[in-house]
Short mmCIF file of all heavy atoms in Angstrom, two decimals:
data_model
loop_
_atom_site.label_atom_id
_atom_site.label_comp_id
_atom_site.label_asym_id
_atom_site.label_seq_id
_atom_site.Cartn_x
_atom_site.Cartn_y
_atom_site.Cartn_z
N MET B 1 79.04 106.47 94.11
CA MET B 1 79.97 105.32 93.82
C MET B 1 80.84 104.81 95.06
O MET B 1 81.88 104.41 95.14
CB MET B 1 80.96 105.77 92.91
CG MET B 1 80.39 106.05 91.45
SD MET B 1 81.64 106.23 90.09
CE MET B 1 80.56 106.38 88.74
N SER B 2 80.08 104.91 96.24
CA SER B 2 80.76 104.58 97.47
C SER B 2 81.01 103.15 97.63
O SER B 2 81.92 102.74 98.38
CB SER B 2 79.82 105.15 98.60
OG SER B 2 78.55 104.61 98.54
N GLU B 3 80.35 102.33 96.89
CA GLU B 3 80.52 100.93 96.89
C GLU B 3 81.84 100.36 96.15
O GLU B 3 82.23 99.28 96.20
CB GLU B 3 79.38 100.09 96.34
CG GLU B 3 79.21 100.12 94.85
CD GLU B 3 78.57 101.39 94.36
OE1 GLU B 3 78.24 102.26 95.03
OE2 GLU B 3 78.51 101.59 93.08
N ILE B 4 82.48 101.32 95.50
CA ILE B 4 83.71 101.02 94.78
C ILE B 4 84.85 101.32 95.59
O ILE B 4 85.13 102.28 96.19
CB ILE B 4 83.73 101.99 93.42
CG1 ILE B 4 82.55 101.64 92.52
CG2 ILE B 4 85.07 101.77 92.68
CD1 ILE B 4 82.44 102.53 91.36
N LEU B 5 85.86 100.32 95.66
CA LEU B 5 87.18 100.46 96.22
C LEU B 5 88.20 100.95 95.32
O LEU B 5 88.55 100.40 94.43
CB LEU B 5 87.54 99.14 96.74
CG LEU B 5 88.85 99.05 97.52
CD1 LEU B 5 88.83 99.98 98.87
CD2 LEU B 5 89.25 97.64 97.86
N TRP B 6 88.59 102.19 95.57
CA TRP B 6 89.52 102.96 94.72
C TRP B 6 91.06 102.58 95.13
O TRP B 6 91.34 102.33 96.25
CB TRP B 6 89.36 104.43 94.75
CG TRP B 6 88.06 104.92 94.30
CD1 TRP B 6 86.97 105.16 94.81
CD2 TRP B 6 87.90 105.10 92.90
NE1 TRP B 6 86.08 105.49 93.97
CE2 TRP B 6 86.46 105.54 92.86
CE3 TRP B 6 88.69 105.25 91.74
CZ2 TRP B 6 86.03 105.94 91.54
CZ3 TRP B 6 87.96 105.48 90.54
CH2 TRP B 6 86.61 105.92 90.43
N GLN B 7 91.88 102.45 94.00
CA GLN B 7 93.26 102.14 94.35
C GLN B 7 94.12 103.29 93.76
O GLN B 7 93.89 103.73 92.65
CB GLN B 7 93.63 100.80 93.39
CG GLN B 7 93.41 99.60 94.20
CD GLN B 7 94.05 98.48 93.36
OE1 GLN B 7 93.89 98.28 92.06
NE2 GLN B 7 94.82 97.61 94.03
N LYS B 8 94.97 103.69 94.54
CA LYS B 8 95.96 104.82 94.23
C LYS B 8 97.36 104.11 93.76
O LYS B 8 97.63 103.11 94.30
CB LYS B 8 96.15 105.69 95.41
CG LYS B 8 97.02 107.05 95.01
CD LYS B 8 96.94 108.06 96.14
CE LYS B 8 97.26 107.72 97.42
NZ LYS B 8 97.41 108.81 98.25
N SER B 9 97.91 104.70 92.97
CA SER B 9 99.24 104.27 92.27
C SER B 9 100.20 104.25 93.48
O SER B 9 100.26 105.09 94.31
CB SER B 9 99.70 105.17 91.23
OG SER B 9 100.95 104.86 90.83
N SER B 10 101.03 103.23 93.46
CA SER B 10 102.16 103.20 94.43
C SER B 10 103.22 104.29 94.16
O SER B 10 104.03 104.54 95.07
CB SER B 10 102.78 101.83 94.43
OG SER B 10 103.29 101.64 93.01
N PHE B 11 103.18 104.88 92.96
CA PHE B 11 104.04 106.03 92.79
C PHE B 11 103.58 107.33 93.33
O PHE B 11 104.35 108.39 93.31
CB PHE B 11 104.23 106.23 91.28
CG PHE B 11 104.99 105.06 90.61
CD1 PHE B 11 104.31 104.09 89.90
CD2 PHE B 11 106.28 104.98 90.67
CE1 PHE B 11 105.03 102.99 89.32
CE2 PHE B 11 107.01 104.01 90.08
CZ PHE B 11 106.31 102.93 89.44
N SER B 12 102.40 107.33 93.74
CA SER B 12 101.80 108.56 94.43
C SER B 12 102.36 108.70 95.80
O SER B 12 102.50 107.76 96.49
CB SER B 12 100.23 108.48 94.45
OG SER B 12 99.75 108.38 93.14
N GLY B 13 102.46 110.16 96.21
CA GLY B 13 102.86 110.13 97.69
C GLY B 13 101.77 109.87 98.62
O GLY B 13 100.63 109.88 98.16
N GLY B 14 102.02 109.62 99.85
CA GLY B 14 101.08 109.47 100.89
C GLY B 14 100.36 110.57 101.51
O GLY B 14 99.49 110.51 102.21
N ASP B 15 100.95 111.80 101.18
CA ASP B 15 100.45 113.08 101.78
C ASP B 15 99.14 113.38 101.28
O ASP B 15 98.84 113.06 100.10
CB ASP B 15 101.42 114.21 101.63
CG ASP B 15 102.72 113.94 102.28
OD1 ASP B 15 102.87 113.20 103.15
OD2 ASP B 15 103.76 114.53 101.74
N THR B 16 98.27 114.00 101.99
CA THR B 16 96.96 114.48 101.53
C THR B 16 97.30 115.68 100.66
O THR B 16 98.20 116.42 100.96
CB THR B 16 96.04 114.90 102.68
OG1 THR B 16 96.68 115.81 103.54
CG2 THR B 16 95.54 113.62 103.50
N GLY B 17 96.52 115.94 99.73
CA GLY B 17 96.69 117.08 98.81
C GLY B 17 97.47 116.66 97.57
O GLY B 17 97.62 117.40 96.65
N ASN B 18 98.12 115.43 97.58
CA ASN B 18 98.87 114.99 96.33
C ASN B 18 97.82 114.59 95.35
O ASN B 18 96.93 113.65 95.51
CB ASN B 18 99.87 113.94 96.65
CG ASN B 18 100.98 114.29 97.33
OD1 ASN B 18 101.40 115.41 97.32
ND2 ASN B 18 101.69 113.35 97.97
N ALA B 19 97.91 115.16 94.13
CA ALA B 19 96.86 114.86 93.12
C ALA B 19 97.55 113.52 92.33
O ALA B 19 98.69 113.45 92.05
CB ALA B 19 96.84 115.95 92.10
N CYS B 20 96.68 112.65 92.35
CA CYS B 20 97.02 111.34 91.56
C CYS B 20 95.86 110.60 90.94
O CYS B 20 94.66 111.08 91.25
CB CYS B 20 97.79 110.41 92.51
SG CYS B 20 96.56 109.93 93.92
N LEU B 21 96.03 109.80 90.07
CA LEU B 21 95.02 109.05 89.38
C LEU B 21 94.66 107.88 90.38
O LEU B 21 95.60 107.17 90.85
CB LEU B 21 95.48 108.53 88.00
CG LEU B 21 95.49 109.62 87.06
CD1 LEU B 21 95.97 108.96 85.72
CD2 LEU B 21 94.31 110.39 86.84
N GLU B 22 93.33 107.52 90.43
CA GLU B 22 92.84 106.27 91.08
C GLU B 22 92.13 105.35 90.21
O GLU B 22 91.46 105.95 89.30
CB GLU B 22 91.94 106.81 92.28
CG GLU B 22 92.83 107.65 93.33
CD GLU B 22 91.88 108.14 94.39
OE1 GLU B 22 90.69 108.44 94.20
OE2 GLU B 22 92.32 108.09 95.50
N LEU B 23 92.26 104.16 90.32
CA LEU B 23 91.48 103.23 89.47
C LEU B 23 90.68 102.38 90.29
O LEU B 23 90.98 101.98 91.53
CB LEU B 23 92.42 102.35 88.69
CG LEU B 23 93.41 102.94 87.74
CD1 LEU B 23 94.43 102.00 87.23
CD2 LEU B 23 92.58 103.44 86.51
N ALA B 24 89.53 101.84 89.68
CA ALA B 24 88.71 100.94 90.36
C ALA B 24 87.81 100.17 89.41
O ALA B 24 87.88 100.41 88.20
CB ALA B 24 87.65 101.67 91.34
N ARG B 25 87.21 99.07 89.88
CA ARG B 25 86.33 98.28 88.98
C ARG B 25 85.23 97.86 89.77
O ARG B 25 85.32 97.85 91.08
CB ARG B 25 87.01 97.13 88.29
CG ARG B 25 87.44 96.02 89.20
CD ARG B 25 87.98 94.95 88.50
NE ARG B 25 88.37 93.78 89.30
CZ ARG B 25 89.00 92.84 88.96
NH1 ARG B 25 89.52 92.65 87.73
NH2 ARG B 25 89.32 91.87 89.84
N ASP B 26 84.07 97.53 89.13
CA ASP B 26 82.87 97.06 89.82
C ASP B 26 82.52 95.73 89.61
O ASP B 26 83.27 95.04 88.80
CB ASP B 26 81.60 98.05 89.53
CG ASP B 26 81.25 97.98 88.15
OD1 ASP B 26 81.79 97.31 87.35
OD2 ASP B 26 80.19 98.81 87.83
N ALA B 27 81.43 95.21 90.04
CA ALA B 27 81.06 93.70 89.71
C ALA B 27 80.67 93.53 88.37
O ALA B 27 80.71 92.40 87.95
CB ALA B 27 79.76 93.50 90.71
N ALA B 28 80.30 94.57 87.62
CA ALA B 28 80.03 94.32 86.11
C ALA B 28 81.30 94.41 85.29
O ALA B 28 81.33 94.45 84.08
CB ALA B 28 78.92 95.37 85.69
N ASN B 29 82.43 94.49 85.97
CA ASN B 29 83.81 94.56 85.36
C ASN B 29 84.07 95.79 84.47
O ASN B 29 84.86 95.84 83.64
CB ASN B 29 84.06 93.29 84.46
CG ASN B 29 85.61 92.95 84.61
OD1 ASN B 29 86.18 93.21 85.47
ND2 ASN B 29 85.99 92.23 83.53
N ARG B 30 83.34 96.87 84.98
CA ARG B 30 83.69 98.12 84.35
C ARG B 30 84.84 98.83 85.02
O ARG B 30 85.04 98.46 86.20
CB ARG B 30 82.47 99.07 84.45
CG ARG B 30 81.18 98.60 83.54
CD ARG B 30 80.14 99.61 83.82
NE ARG B 30 79.73 99.56 85.25
CZ ARG B 30 78.81 100.51 85.68
NH1 ARG B 30 78.16 101.36 84.95
NH2 ARG B 30 78.48 100.56 86.94
N ARG B 31 85.69 99.53 84.38
CA ARG B 31 86.71 100.30 84.88
C ARG B 31 86.35 101.76 85.23
O ARG B 31 85.79 102.32 84.45
CB ARG B 31 87.94 100.18 84.09
CG ARG B 31 88.42 98.69 83.77
CD ARG B 31 88.67 98.00 84.99
NE ARG B 31 89.49 96.72 84.79
CZ ARG B 31 89.10 95.49 84.65
NH1 ARG B 31 87.70 95.30 84.74
NH2 ARG B 31 89.89 94.50 84.45
N PHE B 32 86.93 102.26 86.35
CA PHE B 32 86.61 103.68 86.71
C PHE B 32 88.01 104.25 86.87
O PHE B 32 88.94 103.80 87.38
CB PHE B 32 85.85 103.72 88.03
CG PHE B 32 84.60 103.07 87.88
CD1 PHE B 32 84.40 101.77 88.19
CD2 PHE B 32 83.44 103.73 87.61
CE1 PHE B 32 83.18 101.11 88.04
CE2 PHE B 32 82.24 103.22 87.57
CZ PHE B 32 82.07 101.81 87.80
N LEU B 33 88.10 105.64 86.42
CA LEU B 33 89.37 106.39 86.51
C LEU B 33 88.94 107.70 86.91
O LEU B 33 87.99 108.28 86.50
CB LEU B 33 90.01 106.38 85.15
CG LEU B 33 91.37 107.20 84.85
CD1 LEU B 33 92.38 106.52 85.67
CD2 LEU B 33 91.62 107.28 83.50
N ARG B 34 89.68 108.24 87.95
CA ARG B 34 89.38 109.54 88.48
C ARG B 34 90.67 110.10 89.10
O ARG B 34 91.68 109.49 89.30
CB ARG B 34 88.39 109.54 89.53
CG ARG B 34 88.86 109.02 90.87
CD ARG B 34 87.76 108.97 92.04
NE ARG B 34 88.26 108.48 93.25
CZ ARG B 34 87.59 108.48 94.27
NH1 ARG B 34 86.24 108.67 94.37
NH2 ARG B 34 88.03 107.92 95.42
N GLU B 35 90.72 111.48 89.28
CA GLU B 35 91.79 112.25 89.79
C GLU B 35 91.38 112.37 91.39
O GLU B 35 90.25 112.74 91.61
CB GLU B 35 92.14 113.58 89.13
CG GLU B 35 93.27 114.13 89.64
CD GLU B 35 93.58 115.37 88.84
OE1 GLU B 35 93.12 115.60 87.73
OE2 GLU B 35 94.40 116.18 89.26
N SER B 36 92.44 112.18 92.27
CA SER B 36 92.07 112.11 93.64
C SER B 36 91.57 113.44 94.18
O SER B 36 90.81 113.49 95.13
CB SER B 36 93.41 111.73 94.36
OG SER B 36 94.35 112.64 94.19
N ASP B 37 91.86 114.62 93.52
CA ASP B 37 91.35 115.84 93.93
C ASP B 37 90.04 116.27 93.32
O ASP B 37 89.55 117.41 93.43
CB ASP B 37 92.46 117.07 93.97
CG ASP B 37 92.97 117.26 92.62
OD1 ASP B 37 92.58 116.40 91.63
OD2 ASP B 37 93.67 118.28 92.36
N GLU B 38 89.63 115.54 92.39
CA GLU B 38 88.32 115.75 91.67
C GLU B 38 87.47 114.36 91.73
O GLU B 38 87.17 113.77 90.64
CB GLU B 38 88.50 116.12 90.31
CG GLU B 38 88.94 117.45 90.05
CD GLU B 38 87.89 118.57 90.33
OE1 GLU B 38 86.67 118.18 90.14
OE2 GLU B 38 88.16 119.56 90.83
N THR B 39 87.08 113.95 92.85
CA THR B 39 86.51 112.69 93.09
C THR B 39 85.03 112.53 92.55
O THR B 39 84.54 111.35 92.31
CB THR B 39 86.47 112.21 94.55
OG1 THR B 39 85.69 113.24 95.38
CG2 THR B 39 87.78 112.13 95.12
N GLY B 40 84.46 113.65 92.10
CA GLY B 40 83.23 113.64 91.52
C GLY B 40 83.11 113.35 90.03
O GLY B 40 82.09 113.14 89.40
N THR B 41 84.26 113.57 89.48
CA THR B 41 84.45 113.36 87.98
C THR B 41 85.10 112.07 87.78
O THR B 41 86.31 111.79 88.19
CB THR B 41 85.30 114.47 87.41
OG1 THR B 41 84.70 115.71 87.73
CG2 THR B 41 85.45 114.36 85.92
N VAL B 42 84.34 111.07 87.18
CA VAL B 42 84.85 109.74 86.97
C VAL B 42 84.64 109.36 85.47
O VAL B 42 83.60 109.61 84.93
CB VAL B 42 83.98 108.72 87.90
CG1 VAL B 42 84.42 107.36 87.65
CG2 VAL B 42 84.09 109.16 89.37
N LEU B 43 85.72 108.73 85.01
CA LEU B 43 85.63 108.22 83.55
C LEU B 43 85.34 106.75 83.73
O LEU B 43 86.01 106.01 84.51
CB LEU B 43 86.97 108.36 83.03
CG LEU B 43 87.27 107.70 81.58
CD1 LEU B 43 86.38 108.21 80.48
CD2 LEU B 43 88.63 107.64 81.10
N ILE B 44 84.24 106.20 83.04
CA ILE B 44 83.78 104.90 83.19
C ILE B 44 84.10 104.21 81.80
O ILE B 44 83.74 104.79 80.72
CB ILE B 44 82.41 104.68 83.57
CG1 ILE B 44 82.16 105.32 84.83
CG2 ILE B 44 82.03 103.37 83.55
CD1 ILE B 44 80.63 105.53 85.12
N THR B 45 84.93 103.03 81.82
CA THR B 45 85.22 102.43 80.52
C THR B 45 85.30 100.94 80.68
O THR B 45 85.10 100.46 81.81
CB THR B 45 86.57 103.07 79.93
OG1 THR B 45 86.84 102.56 78.76
CG2 THR B 45 87.68 102.69 80.92
N GLY B 46 85.65 100.30 79.64
CA GLY B 46 85.94 98.85 79.65
C GLY B 46 87.35 98.58 79.90
O GLY B 46 88.28 99.37 79.66
N ALA B 47 87.68 97.39 80.20
CA ALA B 47 88.95 96.91 80.50
C ALA B 47 89.97 97.10 79.32
O ALA B 47 91.22 97.60 79.31
CB ALA B 47 89.17 95.49 81.01
N ASP B 48 89.49 96.71 78.10
CA ASP B 48 90.27 96.79 76.93
C ASP B 48 90.50 98.26 76.49
O ASP B 48 91.65 98.59 76.20
CB ASP B 48 89.53 96.17 75.75
CG ASP B 48 89.51 94.59 75.92
OD1 ASP B 48 90.41 94.19 76.61
OD2 ASP B 48 88.57 93.98 75.30
N GLU B 49 89.49 99.04 76.75
CA GLU B 49 89.76 100.44 76.33
C GLU B 49 90.76 101.20 77.30
O GLU B 49 91.56 102.02 76.91
CB GLU B 49 88.43 101.28 76.30
CG GLU B 49 87.44 100.85 75.33
CD GLU B 49 86.66 99.55 75.65
OE1 GLU B 49 86.73 99.04 76.69
OE2 GLU B 49 85.84 99.09 74.73
N LEU B 50 90.66 100.84 78.60
CA LEU B 50 91.58 101.38 79.58
C LEU B 50 93.03 100.87 79.23
O LEU B 50 93.90 101.67 79.35
CB LEU B 50 91.18 101.03 80.91
CG LEU B 50 92.10 101.51 81.99
CD1 LEU B 50 92.11 103.04 82.10
CD2 LEU B 50 91.62 100.99 83.35
N ARG B 51 93.19 99.76 78.87
CA ARG B 51 94.45 99.14 78.59
C ARG B 51 95.00 99.87 77.35
O ARG B 51 96.22 100.25 77.38
CB ARG B 51 94.41 97.80 78.14
CG ARG B 51 95.69 97.11 77.88
CD ARG B 51 95.52 95.51 77.55
NE ARG B 51 94.93 94.67 78.51
CZ ARG B 51 93.66 94.22 78.44
NH1 ARG B 51 92.97 94.49 77.34
NH2 ARG B 51 93.06 93.58 79.51
N VAL B 52 94.22 100.13 76.31
CA VAL B 52 94.74 101.03 75.19
C VAL B 52 95.14 102.34 75.62
O VAL B 52 96.22 102.98 75.18
CB VAL B 52 93.75 101.06 74.10
CG1 VAL B 52 94.07 102.04 72.98
CG2 VAL B 52 93.45 99.66 73.42
N LEU B 53 94.34 103.00 76.44
CA LEU B 53 94.74 104.33 76.89
C LEU B 53 95.99 104.33 77.62
O LEU B 53 96.97 105.20 77.49
CB LEU B 53 93.52 104.91 77.78
CG LEU B 53 93.81 106.26 78.49
CD1 LEU B 53 94.01 107.37 77.47
CD2 LEU B 53 92.74 106.46 79.60
N LEU B 54 96.23 103.40 78.61
CA LEU B 54 97.32 103.36 79.42
C LEU B 54 98.62 103.06 78.65
O LEU B 54 99.67 103.72 78.84
CB LEU B 54 97.29 102.39 80.52
CG LEU B 54 96.20 102.69 81.68
CD1 LEU B 54 96.15 101.56 82.59
CD2 LEU B 54 96.54 103.95 82.28
N LEU B 55 98.60 102.16 77.54
CA LEU B 55 99.65 101.97 76.73
C LEU B 55 99.99 103.29 75.89
O LEU B 55 101.14 103.51 75.66
CB LEU B 55 99.23 100.80 75.72
CG LEU B 55 99.29 99.39 76.35
CD1 LEU B 55 98.75 98.41 75.41
CD2 LEU B 55 100.55 99.03 76.90
N ALA B 56 98.97 103.92 75.38
CA ALA B 56 99.27 105.24 74.65
C ALA B 56 99.97 106.24 75.62
O ALA B 56 100.94 106.96 75.12
CB ALA B 56 97.93 105.75 74.19
N VAL B 57 99.59 106.32 76.89
CA VAL B 57 100.15 107.34 77.66
C VAL B 57 101.46 107.03 78.10
O VAL B 57 102.53 107.83 77.89
CB VAL B 57 99.31 107.37 79.12
CG1 VAL B 57 100.18 108.11 80.14
CG2 VAL B 57 98.00 107.94 78.84
N LYS B 58 101.85 105.57 78.19
CA LYS B 58 103.14 105.17 78.44
C LYS B 58 104.11 105.44 77.24
O LYS B 58 105.27 105.65 77.49
CB LYS B 58 103.22 103.72 78.84
CG LYS B 58 102.72 103.44 80.29
CD LYS B 58 102.71 101.97 80.65
CE LYS B 58 102.15 101.73 81.92
NZ LYS B 58 102.18 100.15 82.23
N ALA B 59 103.46 105.27 76.17
CA ALA B 59 104.24 105.51 74.84
C ALA B 59 104.50 106.88 74.58
O ALA B 59 105.22 107.29 73.55
CB ALA B 59 103.57 104.83 73.61
N GLY B 60 103.98 107.84 75.33
CA GLY B 60 104.21 109.37 74.98
C GLY B 60 103.30 109.93 73.99
O GLY B 60 103.51 111.05 73.52
N GLU B 61 102.18 109.22 73.68
CA GLU B 61 101.30 109.78 72.56
C GLU B 61 100.64 111.09 72.90
O GLU B 61 100.10 111.80 71.98
CB GLU B 61 100.31 108.69 72.16
CG GLU B 61 101.05 107.51 71.41
CD GLU B 61 100.12 106.47 70.85
OE1 GLU B 61 99.04 106.89 70.37
OE2 GLU B 61 100.53 105.37 70.81
N PHE B 62 100.62 111.38 74.17
CA PHE B 62 99.91 112.60 74.57
C PHE B 62 100.85 113.65 75.20
O PHE B 62 100.43 114.72 75.71
CB PHE B 62 98.76 112.23 75.70
CG PHE B 62 97.77 111.28 75.21
CD1 PHE B 62 97.93 110.04 75.78
CD2 PHE B 62 96.90 111.66 74.41
CE1 PHE B 62 97.11 109.06 75.24
CE2 PHE B 62 95.98 110.75 73.89
CZ PHE B 62 95.94 109.38 74.34
N ASP B 63 102.18 113.38 74.89
CA ASP B 63 103.23 114.35 75.61
C ASP B 63 103.00 115.69 74.92
O ASP B 63 103.45 116.68 75.64
CB ASP B 63 104.56 113.83 75.44
CG ASP B 63 104.93 112.67 76.41
OD1 ASP B 63 103.96 112.31 77.15
OD2 ASP B 63 105.94 112.02 76.25
N HIS B 64 102.56 115.92 73.78
CA HIS B 64 102.52 117.16 73.12
C HIS B 64 101.42 118.05 73.71
O HIS B 64 101.39 119.19 73.48
CB HIS B 64 102.41 117.00 71.67
CG HIS B 64 100.91 116.38 71.26
ND1 HIS B 64 100.73 115.00 71.42
CD2 HIS B 64 99.83 116.88 70.83
CE1 HIS B 64 99.45 114.81 71.03
NE2 HIS B 64 98.85 115.89 70.78
N LEU B 65 100.57 117.45 74.52
CA LEU B 65 99.46 118.25 75.12
C LEU B 65 99.93 119.00 76.41
O LEU B 65 98.98 119.83 77.01
CB LEU B 65 98.30 117.22 75.40
CG LEU B 65 97.71 116.54 74.19
CD1 LEU B 65 96.65 115.55 74.78
CD2 LEU B 65 97.14 117.58 73.14
N THR B 66 100.95 118.56 76.90
CA THR B 66 101.50 119.31 78.20
C THR B 66 102.40 120.47 77.98
O THR B 66 102.89 120.73 76.96
CB THR B 66 102.20 118.27 79.04
OG1 THR B 66 103.43 117.65 78.43
CG2 THR B 66 101.34 117.15 79.45
#
């Protein structure tokens, strides 16, 4: 996946070693999600599905898992 340009959240620290989520998309408009310290593990999804996931996270729907 080297042709993909990953974006890190502006809320993430700039130091190396900071675990954060990174997002990307490809020419086929697929969305990619990974954790910066596990770059080999990538979730591939569509834009609508990613939007639903992010809205659920922001709404706290997964808070009980932590």
